[in-house]
PDB file of all heavy atoms in Angstrom:
ATOM      1  N   LYS A   1     -17.233  -2.962  10.772  1.00 97.00           N
ATOM      2  CA  LYS A   1     -17.956  -1.655  10.730  1.00 97.00           C
ATOM      3  C   LYS A   1     -17.219  -0.643   9.875  1.00 97.00           C
ATOM      4  O   LYS A   1     -17.939   0.016   8.925  1.00 97.00           O
ATOM      5  CB  LYS A   1     -18.070  -1.137  12.151  1.00 97.00           C
ATOM      6  CG  LYS A   1     -18.999  -1.991  12.991  1.00 97.00           C
ATOM      7  CD  LYS A   1     -19.049  -1.341  14.410  1.00 97.00           C
ATOM      8  CE  LYS A   1     -19.935  -2.249  15.365  1.00 97.00           C
ATOM      9  NZ  LYS A   1     -20.058  -1.697  16.642  1.00 97.00           N
ATOM     10  N   ASN A   2     -16.013  -0.601  10.063  1.00 97.00           N
ATOM     11  CA  ASN A   2     -15.153   0.270   9.125  1.00 97.00           C
ATOM     12  C   ASN A   2     -14.883  -0.578   7.860  1.00 97.00           C
ATOM     13  O   ASN A   2     -14.865  -1.791   7.871  1.00 97.00           O
ATOM     14  CB  ASN A   2     -13.895   0.746   9.726  1.00 97.00           C
ATOM     15  CG  ASN A   2     -13.972   1.863  10.734  1.00 97.00           C
ATOM     16  OD1 ASN A   2     -14.894   2.571  10.694  1.00 97.00           O
ATOM     17  ND2 ASN A   2     -12.997   1.846  11.665  1.00 97.00           N
ATOM     18  N   GLU A   3     -14.611   0.195   6.736  1.00 97.00           N
ATOM     19  CA  GLU A   3     -14.112  -0.445   5.480  1.00 97.00           C
ATOM     20  C   GLU A   3     -12.586  -0.210   5.469  1.00 97.00           C
ATOM     21  O   GLU A   3     -12.127   0.880   5.673  1.00 97.00           O
ATOM     22  CB  GLU A   3     -14.706   0.180   4.253  1.00 97.00           C
ATOM     23  CG  GLU A   3     -14.242  -0.457   3.041  1.00 97.00           C
ATOM     24  CD  GLU A   3     -14.721   0.184   1.754  1.00 97.00           C
ATOM     25  OE1 GLU A   3     -15.653   1.154   1.878  1.00 97.00           O
ATOM     26  OE2 GLU A   3     -14.251  -0.076   0.658  1.00 97.00           O
ATOM     27  N   TYR A   4     -11.857  -1.399   5.328  1.00 98.00           N
ATOM     28  CA  TYR A   4     -10.353  -1.156   5.334  1.00 98.00           C
ATOM     29  C   TYR A   4      -9.767  -1.372   4.066  1.00 98.00           C
ATOM     30  O   TYR A   4      -9.861  -2.473   3.443  1.00 98.00           O
ATOM     31  CB  TYR A   4      -9.723  -2.150   6.425  1.00 98.00           C
ATOM     32  CG  TYR A   4     -10.241  -1.864   7.809  1.00 98.00           C
ATOM     33  CD1 TYR A   4     -11.381  -2.558   8.273  1.00 98.00           C
ATOM     34  CD2 TYR A   4      -9.579  -0.988   8.539  1.00 98.00           C
ATOM     35  CE1 TYR A   4     -11.819  -2.268   9.647  1.00 98.00           C
ATOM     36  CE2 TYR A   4     -10.008  -0.622   9.783  1.00 98.00           C
ATOM     37  CZ  TYR A   4     -11.165  -1.239  10.310  1.00 98.00           C
ATOM     38  OH  TYR A   4     -11.621  -0.954  11.579  1.00 98.00           O
ATOM     39  N   GLU A   5      -9.105  -0.354   3.545  1.00 97.00           N
ATOM     40  CA  GLU A   5      -8.198  -0.473   2.325  1.00 97.00           C
ATOM     41  C   GLU A   5      -6.806  -0.669   2.838  1.00 97.00           C
ATOM     42  O   GLU A   5      -6.213   0.217   3.266  1.00 97.00           O
ATOM     43  CB  GLU A   5      -8.411   0.786   1.494  1.00 97.00           C
ATOM     44  CG  GLU A   5      -9.745   1.159   1.011  1.00 97.00           C
ATOM     45  CD  GLU A   5      -9.744   2.480   0.159  1.00 97.00           C
ATOM     46  OE1 GLU A   5      -8.686   3.136   0.112  1.00 97.00           O
ATOM     47  OE2 GLU A   5     -10.826   2.801  -0.377  1.00 97.00           O
ATOM     48  N   TYR A   6      -6.323  -1.926   2.624  1.00 97.00           N
ATOM     49  CA  TYR A   6      -5.124  -2.374   3.178  1.00 97.00           C
ATOM     50  C   TYR A   6      -4.028  -2.712   2.145  1.00 97.00           C
ATOM     51  O   TYR A   6      -4.397  -3.210   1.065  1.00 97.00           O
ATOM     52  CB  TYR A   6      -5.288  -3.501   4.198  1.00 97.00           C
ATOM     53  CG  TYR A   6      -5.797  -4.711   3.644  1.00 97.00           C
ATOM     54  CD1 TYR A   6      -4.913  -5.695   3.055  1.00 97.00           C
ATOM     55  CD2 TYR A   6      -7.125  -4.933   3.602  1.00 97.00           C
ATOM     56  CE1 TYR A   6      -5.445  -6.852   2.511  1.00 97.00           C
ATOM     57  CE2 TYR A   6      -7.668  -6.211   3.134  1.00 97.00           C
ATOM     58  CZ  TYR A   6      -6.828  -7.111   2.624  1.00 97.00           C
ATOM     59  OH  TYR A   6      -7.193  -8.296   2.041  1.00 97.00           O
ATOM     60  N   THR A   7      -2.797  -2.495   2.482  1.00 96.00           N
ATOM     61  CA  THR A   7      -1.573  -2.791   1.748  1.00 96.00           C
ATOM     62  C   THR A   7      -0.602  -3.490   2.518  1.00 96.00           C
ATOM     63  O   THR A   7      -0.440  -3.124   3.686  1.00 96.00           O
ATOM     64  CB  THR A   7      -0.946  -1.502   1.121  1.00 96.00           C
ATOM     65  OG1 THR A   7      -1.966  -0.682   0.460  1.00 96.00           O
ATOM     66  CG2 THR A   7       0.133  -1.892   0.159  1.00 96.00           C
ATOM     67  N   LEU A   8      -0.071  -4.579   2.130  1.00 97.00           N
ATOM     68  CA  LEU A   8       0.987  -5.280   2.716  1.00 97.00           C
ATOM     69  C   LEU A   8       2.283  -5.168   1.959  1.00 97.00           C
ATOM     70  O   LEU A   8       2.309  -5.458   0.737  1.00 97.00           O
ATOM     71  CB  LEU A   8       0.574  -6.702   2.876  1.00 97.00           C
ATOM     72  CG  LEU A   8      -0.532  -6.934   3.925  1.00 97.00           C
ATOM     73  CD1 LEU A   8      -1.181  -8.313   3.776  1.00 97.00           C
ATOM     74  CD2 LEU A   8       0.004  -6.751   5.375  1.00 97.00           C
ATOM     75  N   VAL A   9       3.366  -4.740   2.609  1.00 96.00           N
ATOM     76  CA  VAL A   9       4.658  -4.520   1.986  1.00 96.00           C
ATOM     77  C   VAL A   9       5.771  -5.180   2.619  1.00 96.00           C
ATOM     78  O   VAL A   9       5.576  -5.888   3.644  1.00 96.00           O
ATOM     79  CB  VAL A   9       4.940  -2.949   1.973  1.00 96.00           C
ATOM     80  CG1 VAL A   9       3.862  -2.245   1.197  1.00 96.00           C
ATOM     81  CG2 VAL A   9       5.126  -2.478   3.358  1.00 96.00           C
ATOM     82  N   SER A  10       6.952  -5.200   1.992  1.00 93.00           N
ATOM     83  CA  SER A  10       8.066  -5.905   2.558  1.00 93.00           C
ATOM     84  C   SER A  10       8.922  -5.237   3.574  1.00 93.00           C
ATOM     85  O   SER A  10       9.727  -5.816   4.340  1.00 93.00           O
ATOM     86  CB  SER A  10       8.981  -6.488   1.461  1.00 93.00           C
ATOM     87  OG  SER A  10       8.143  -7.307   0.626  1.00 93.00           O
ATOM     88  N   ALA A  11       8.939  -3.818   3.530  1.00 92.00           N
ATOM     89  CA  ALA A  11       9.767  -3.045   4.427  1.00 92.00           C
ATOM     90  C   ALA A  11       9.092  -1.819   4.778  1.00 92.00           C
ATOM     91  O   ALA A  11       8.223  -1.237   4.129  1.00 92.00           O
ATOM     92  CB  ALA A  11      11.149  -2.770   3.674  1.00 92.00           C
ATOM     93  N   ALA A  12       9.582  -1.293   5.988  1.00 92.00           N
ATOM     94  CA  ALA A  12       8.917  -0.048   6.500  1.00 92.00           C
ATOM     95  C   ALA A  12       9.078   1.160   5.597  1.00 92.00           C
ATOM     96  O   ALA A  12       8.090   1.955   5.549  1.00 92.00           O
ATOM     97  CB  ALA A  12       9.609   0.222   7.888  1.00 92.00           C
ATOM     98  N   ASP A  13      10.179   1.314   4.918  1.00 91.00           N
ATOM     99  CA  ASP A  13      10.306   2.517   4.095  1.00 91.00           C
ATOM    100  C   ASP A  13       9.333   2.452   2.827  1.00 91.00           C
ATOM    101  O   ASP A  13       9.341   3.525   2.164  1.00 91.00           O
ATOM    102  CB  ASP A  13      11.853   2.648   3.611  1.00 91.00           C
ATOM    103  CG  ASP A  13      12.341   1.405   2.796  1.00 91.00           C
ATOM    104  OD1 ASP A  13      11.500   0.470   2.448  1.00 91.00           O
ATOM    105  OD2 ASP A  13      13.544   1.318   2.564  1.00 91.00           O
ATOM    106  N   GLU A  14       8.695   1.402   2.654  1.00 94.00           N
ATOM    107  CA  GLU A  14       7.678   1.334   1.616  1.00 94.00           C
ATOM    108  C   GLU A  14       6.411   2.058   1.977  1.00 94.00           C
ATOM    109  O   GLU A  14       5.506   2.320   1.124  1.00 94.00           O
ATOM    110  CB  GLU A  14       7.447  -0.081   1.184  1.00 94.00           C
ATOM    111  CG  GLU A  14       8.564  -0.754   0.508  1.00 94.00           C
ATOM    112  CD  GLU A  14       8.281  -2.170   0.057  1.00 94.00           C
ATOM    113  OE1 GLU A  14       7.347  -2.292  -0.752  1.00 94.00           O
ATOM    114  OE2 GLU A  14       8.841  -3.166   0.545  1.00 94.00           O
ATOM    115  N   VAL A  15       6.253   2.349   3.302  1.00 94.00           N
ATOM    116  CA  VAL A  15       4.942   2.863   3.765  1.00 94.00           C
ATOM    117  C   VAL A  15       5.161   4.254   4.528  1.00 94.00           C
ATOM    118  O   VAL A  15       4.155   5.039   4.676  1.00 94.00           O
ATOM    119  CB  VAL A  15       4.139   1.986   4.665  1.00 94.00           C
ATOM    120  CG1 VAL A  15       3.824   0.659   3.976  1.00 94.00           C
ATOM    121  CG2 VAL A  15       4.956   1.652   5.899  1.00 94.00           C
ATOM    122  N   THR A  16       6.318   4.525   4.959  1.00 96.00           N
ATOM    123  CA  THR A  16       6.472   5.767   5.775  1.00 96.00           C
ATOM    124  C   THR A  16       6.163   6.994   4.956  1.00 96.00           C
ATOM    125  O   THR A  16       5.432   7.868   5.513  1.00 96.00           O
ATOM    126  CB  THR A  16       7.947   5.807   6.252  1.00 96.00           C
ATOM    127  OG1 THR A  16       8.893   5.657   5.251  1.00 96.00           O
ATOM    128  CG2 THR A  16       8.220   4.712   7.394  1.00 96.00           C
ATOM    129  N   GLY A  17       6.672   7.071   3.772  1.00 95.00           N
ATOM    130  CA  GLY A  17       6.256   8.256   3.022  1.00 95.00           C
ATOM    131  C   GLY A  17       4.831   8.456   2.700  1.00 95.00           C
ATOM    132  O   GLY A  17       4.284   9.497   2.905  1.00 95.00           O
ATOM    133  N   SER A  18       4.140   7.333   2.473  1.00 96.00           N
ATOM    134  CA  SER A  18       2.709   7.476   2.325  1.00 96.00           C
ATOM    135  C   SER A  18       1.938   7.826   3.508  1.00 96.00           C
ATOM    136  O   SER A  18       0.905   8.582   3.388  1.00 96.00           O
ATOM    137  CB  SER A  18       2.192   6.031   1.743  1.00 96.00           C
ATOM    138  OG  SER A  18       2.794   5.667   0.543  1.00 96.00           O
ATOM    139  N   LEU A  19       2.367   7.413   4.677  1.00 97.00           N
ATOM    140  CA  LEU A  19       1.785   7.732   5.902  1.00 97.00           C
ATOM    141  C   LEU A  19       2.022   9.252   6.185  1.00 97.00           C
ATOM    142  O   LEU A  19       1.028  10.005   6.570  1.00 97.00           O
ATOM    143  CB  LEU A  19       2.396   6.991   7.072  1.00 97.00           C
ATOM    144  CG  LEU A  19       1.757   7.209   8.466  1.00 97.00           C
ATOM    145  CD1 LEU A  19       0.317   6.835   8.458  1.00 97.00           C
ATOM    146  CD2 LEU A  19       2.541   6.445   9.501  1.00 97.00           C
ATOM    147  N   VAL A  20       3.221   9.738   5.956  1.00 96.00           N
ATOM    148  CA  VAL A  20       3.515  11.128   6.227  1.00 96.00           C
ATOM    149  C   VAL A  20       2.788  12.058   5.256  1.00 96.00           C
ATOM    150  O   VAL A  20       2.173  13.107   5.649  1.00 96.00           O
ATOM    151  CB  VAL A  20       5.005  11.429   6.164  1.00 96.00           C
ATOM    152  CG1 VAL A  20       5.298  12.912   6.189  1.00 96.00           C
ATOM    153  CG2 VAL A  20       5.693  10.673   7.309  1.00 96.00           C
ATOM    154  N   ASN A  21       2.746  11.734   4.023  1.00 96.00           N
ATOM    155  CA  ASN A  21       2.102  12.635   2.975  1.00 96.00           C
ATOM    156  C   ASN A  21       0.573  12.473   2.847  1.00 96.00           C
ATOM    157  O   ASN A  21      -0.031  13.246   2.076  1.00 96.00           O
ATOM    158  CB  ASN A  21       2.655  12.389   1.649  1.00 96.00           C
ATOM    159  CG  ASN A  21       2.322  11.103   0.995  1.00 96.00           C
ATOM    160  OD1 ASN A  21       1.419  10.450   1.211  1.00 96.00           O
ATOM    161  ND2 ASN A  21       3.235  10.601   0.092  1.00 96.00           N
ATOM    162  N   GLY A  22      -0.062  11.664   3.664  1.00 96.00           N
ATOM    163  CA  GLY A  22      -1.553  11.515   3.686  1.00 96.00           C
ATOM    164  C   GLY A  22      -2.175  10.541   2.897  1.00 96.00           C
ATOM    165  O   GLY A  22      -3.457  10.499   2.810  1.00 96.00           O
ATOM    166  N   ASP A  23      -1.376   9.700   2.108  1.00 97.00           N
ATOM    167  CA  ASP A  23      -1.898   8.594   1.378  1.00 97.00           C
ATOM    168  C   ASP A  23      -2.424   7.451   2.235  1.00 97.00           C
ATOM    169  O   ASP A  23      -3.142   6.532   1.749  1.00 97.00           O
ATOM    170  CB  ASP A  23      -0.872   8.167   0.275  1.00 97.00           C
ATOM    171  CG  ASP A  23      -0.658   9.183  -0.763  1.00 97.00           C
ATOM    172  OD1 ASP A  23      -1.547   9.958  -1.000  1.00 97.00           O
ATOM    173  OD2 ASP A  23       0.472   9.132  -1.416  1.00 97.00           O
ATOM    174  N   LEU A  24      -1.912   7.355   3.423  1.00 97.00           N
ATOM    175  CA  LEU A  24      -2.346   6.396   4.474  1.00 97.00           C
ATOM    176  C   LEU A  24      -2.854   7.061   5.695  1.00 97.00           C
ATOM    177  O   LEU A  24      -2.325   8.179   6.038  1.00 97.00           O
ATOM    178  CB  LEU A  24      -1.199   5.454   4.811  1.00 97.00           C
ATOM    179  CG  LEU A  24      -0.710   4.529   3.728  1.00 97.00           C
ATOM    180  CD1 LEU A  24       0.544   3.732   4.191  1.00 97.00           C
ATOM    181  CD2 LEU A  24      -1.809   3.397   3.425  1.00 97.00           C
ATOM    182  N   ASP A  25      -3.716   6.391   6.362  1.00 98.00           N
ATOM    183  CA  ASP A  25      -4.136   6.912   7.683  1.00 98.00           C
ATOM    184  C   ASP A  25      -3.464   6.209   8.942  1.00 98.00           C
ATOM    185  O   ASP A  25      -3.100   6.872   9.873  1.00 98.00           O
ATOM    186  CB  ASP A  25      -5.662   6.666   7.872  1.00 98.00           C
ATOM    187  CG  ASP A  25      -6.463   7.194   6.623  1.00 98.00           C
ATOM    188  OD1 ASP A  25      -6.216   8.371   6.305  1.00 98.00           O
ATOM    189  OD2 ASP A  25      -7.368   6.514   6.163  1.00 98.00           O
ATOM    190  N   LEU A  26      -3.197   4.954   8.672  1.00 98.00           N
ATOM    191  CA  LEU A  26      -2.570   4.102   9.702  1.00 98.00           C
ATOM    192  C   LEU A  26      -1.523   3.197   9.122  1.00 98.00           C
ATOM    193  O   LEU A  26      -1.652   2.867   7.929  1.00 98.00           O
ATOM    194  CB  LEU A  26      -3.666   3.251  10.474  1.00 98.00           C
ATOM    195  CG  LEU A  26      -4.867   3.832  11.108  1.00 98.00           C
ATOM    196  CD1 LEU A  26      -5.817   2.748  11.508  1.00 98.00           C
ATOM    197  CD2 LEU A  26      -4.493   4.742  12.233  1.00 98.00           C
ATOM    198  N   ALA A  27      -0.580   2.812   9.952  1.00 98.00           N
ATOM    199  CA  ALA A  27       0.399   1.841   9.443  1.00 98.00           C
ATOM    200  C   ALA A  27       0.958   0.969  10.650  1.00 98.00           C
ATOM    201  O   ALA A  27       1.140   1.549  11.780  1.00 98.00           O
ATOM    202  CB  ALA A  27       1.583   2.532   8.742  1.00 98.00           C
ATOM    203  N   ALA A  28       1.151  -0.182  10.393  1.00 98.00           N
ATOM    204  CA  ALA A  28       1.876  -1.101  11.382  1.00 98.00           C
ATOM    205  C   ALA A  28       3.364  -1.028  11.182  1.00 98.00           C
ATOM    206  O   ALA A  28       3.788  -1.362  10.082  1.00 98.00           O
ATOM    207  CB  ALA A  28       1.454  -2.651  11.197  1.00 98.00           C
ATOM    208  N   LEU A  29       4.136  -0.523  12.099  1.00 96.00           N
ATOM    209  CA  LEU A  29       5.472  -0.146  11.992  1.00 96.00           C
ATOM    210  C   LEU A  29       6.331  -0.641  13.120  1.00 96.00           C
ATOM    211  O   LEU A  29       5.698  -0.812  14.215  1.00 96.00           O
ATOM    212  CB  LEU A  29       5.668   1.378  11.784  1.00 96.00           C
ATOM    213  CG  LEU A  29       5.026   2.036  10.539  1.00 96.00           C
ATOM    214  CD1 LEU A  29       5.123   3.561  10.820  1.00 96.00           C
ATOM    215  CD2 LEU A  29       5.770   1.598   9.325  1.00 96.00           C
ATOM    216  N   PRO A  30       7.703  -0.690  13.079  1.00 96.00           N
ATOM    217  CA  PRO A  30       8.472  -0.806  14.237  1.00 96.00           C
ATOM    218  C   PRO A  30       8.290   0.454  15.075  1.00 96.00           C
ATOM    219  O   PRO A  30       8.144   1.580  14.589  1.00 96.00           O
ATOM    220  CB  PRO A  30       9.929  -0.827  13.613  1.00 96.00           C
ATOM    221  CG  PRO A  30       9.771  -1.360  12.235  1.00 96.00           C
ATOM    222  CD  PRO A  30       8.402  -0.812  11.836  1.00 96.00           C
ATOM    223  N   THR A  31       8.375   0.273  16.439  1.00 97.00           N
ATOM    224  CA  THR A  31       7.983   1.339  17.317  1.00 97.00           C
ATOM    225  C   THR A  31       8.930   2.488  17.134  1.00 97.00           C
ATOM    226  O   THR A  31       8.578   3.639  17.226  1.00 97.00           O
ATOM    227  CB  THR A  31       8.037   0.854  18.734  1.00 97.00           C
ATOM    228  OG1 THR A  31       7.237  -0.328  18.834  1.00 97.00           O
ATOM    229  CG2 THR A  31       7.506   1.799  19.721  1.00 97.00           C
ATOM    230  N   ASN A  32      10.203   2.185  16.958  1.00 97.00           N
ATOM    231  CA  ASN A  32      11.256   3.298  16.837  1.00 97.00           C
ATOM    232  C   ASN A  32      11.022   4.069  15.561  1.00 97.00           C
ATOM    233  O   ASN A  32      11.385   5.312  15.445  1.00 97.00           O
ATOM    234  CB  ASN A  32      12.607   2.822  16.943  1.00 97.00           C
ATOM    235  CG  ASN A  32      13.064   1.842  15.835  1.00 97.00           C
ATOM    236  OD1 ASN A  32      12.411   0.949  15.444  1.00 97.00           O
ATOM    237  ND2 ASN A  32      14.146   2.300  15.201  1.00 97.00           N
ATOM    238  N   VAL A  33      10.489   3.423  14.460  1.00 97.00           N
ATOM    239  CA  VAL A  33      10.173   4.099  13.256  1.00 97.00           C
ATOM    240  C   VAL A  33       9.097   5.155  13.430  1.00 97.00           C
ATOM    241  O   VAL A  33       9.077   6.275  12.978  1.00 97.00           O
ATOM    242  CB  VAL A  33       9.897   3.094  12.081  1.00 97.00           C
ATOM    243  CG1 VAL A  33       9.420   3.873  10.817  1.00 97.00           C
ATOM    244  CG2 VAL A  33      11.055   2.331  11.768  1.00 97.00           C
ATOM    245  N   ALA A  34       8.042   4.764  14.213  1.00 98.00           N
ATOM    246  CA  ALA A  34       6.947   5.580  14.552  1.00 98.00           C
ATOM    247  C   ALA A  34       7.540   6.906  15.294  1.00 98.00           C
ATOM    248  O   ALA A  34       7.138   8.004  14.998  1.00 98.00           O
ATOM    249  CB  ALA A  34       5.848   4.973  15.333  1.00 98.00           C
ATOM    250  N   ALA A  35       8.460   6.633  16.249  1.00 98.00           N
ATOM    251  CA  ALA A  35       9.006   7.745  16.999  1.00 98.00           C
ATOM    252  C   ALA A  35       9.763   8.660  16.072  1.00 98.00           C
ATOM    253  O   ALA A  35       9.804   9.851  16.215  1.00 98.00           O
ATOM    254  CB  ALA A  35       9.831   7.270  18.144  1.00 98.00           C
ATOM    255  N   THR A  36      10.511   8.038  15.168  1.00 98.00           N
ATOM    256  CA  THR A  36      11.333   8.835  14.232  1.00 98.00           C
ATOM    257  C   THR A  36      10.443   9.625  13.332  1.00 98.00           C
ATOM    258  O   THR A  36      10.652  10.896  13.086  1.00 98.00           O
ATOM    259  CB  THR A  36      12.201   7.854  13.359  1.00 98.00           C
ATOM    260  OG1 THR A  36      13.084   7.099  14.189  1.00 98.00           O
ATOM    261  CG2 THR A  36      13.027   8.635  12.256  1.00 98.00           C
ATOM    262  N   LEU A  37       9.371   9.103  12.847  1.00 98.00           N
ATOM    263  CA  LEU A  37       8.498   9.944  11.988  1.00 98.00           C
ATOM    264  C   LEU A  37       7.821  11.022  12.829  1.00 98.00           C
ATOM    265  O   LEU A  37       7.635  12.146  12.291  1.00 98.00           O
ATOM    266  CB  LEU A  37       7.381   8.952  11.495  1.00 98.00           C
ATOM    267  CG  LEU A  37       7.828   7.959  10.469  1.00 98.00           C
ATOM    268  CD1 LEU A  37       6.625   7.145   9.939  1.00 98.00           C
ATOM    269  CD2 LEU A  37       8.518   8.641   9.224  1.00 98.00           C
TER     270      LEU A  37
END
């Protein structure tokens, strides 16, 4: 139903900045990284 624009990376620090600055909506992350953000 939704259209998913997805990216797969090797490490969490490759996506955290994009999630915070609005280039991403969602991210699969270690739980403690989500809490840190």
Side-chain angles (χ1 to χ4, degrees):
K1 292 180 180 178
N2 285 334
E3 177 185 353
Y4 296 95
E5 294 180 358
Y6 62 88
T7 305
L8 291 163
V9 300
S10 299
D13 58 10
E14 296 181 59
V15 300
T16 51
S18 296
L19 183 62
V20 169
N21 68 25
D23 290 336
L24 289 171
D25 306 314
L26 304 170
L29 295 169
T31 310
N32 68 306
V33 172
T36 298
L37 293 179

